[in-house]
Amino acid sequence: APLADELRTSIAVASNDPARMVAEAERLTQTAPRSPTGDVVRGRAALLRGDLDGARAAFEAALKLAPETVEADLALLRL
């Protein structure tokens, strides 16, 4: 269920474990492909790994899905 996946993704983000974050983002993308949350979480995981190009690509993907995604907009401004 998408709500359960959103909750698992939130827990993964709180863990600050990039591998766990990406795994849950992938699961969320499967169950809610139109949600930008998976891309935002992938972007946050990339930042934790120091992968600025990967972070930029993920945040840009989130904005393509939902241009009003404030977290992705702010993250791109900080890059």
Side-chain angles (χ1 to χ4, degrees), residues 1-8 27-28 31:
L3 179 58
D5 289 332
E6 288 271 356
L7 290 172
R8 274 194 300 274
R27 181 193 317 257
L28 181 61
T31 60

Side-chain angles (χ1 to χ4, degrees), residues 14-76:
S15 77
N16 279 330
D17 177 351
R20 184 174 178 191
M21 292 166 71
V22 170
E24 291 302 332
E26 293 298 328
R27 181 193 317 257
L28 181 61
T29 299
Q30 294 293 317
T31 60
R34 293 178 189 238
S35 171
T37 304
D39 289 313
V40 170
V41 172
R42 272 190 285 281
R44 291 178 70 177
L47 286 175
L48 286 172
R49 291 189 313 263
D51 177 7
L52 299 183
D53 290 335
R56 181 178 309 280
F59 293 131
E60 288 173 349
L63 289 170
K64 282 184 182 178
L65 284 174
E68 70 283 355
T69 308
V70 175
E71 186 174 357
D73 252 340
L74 292 174
L76 284 173

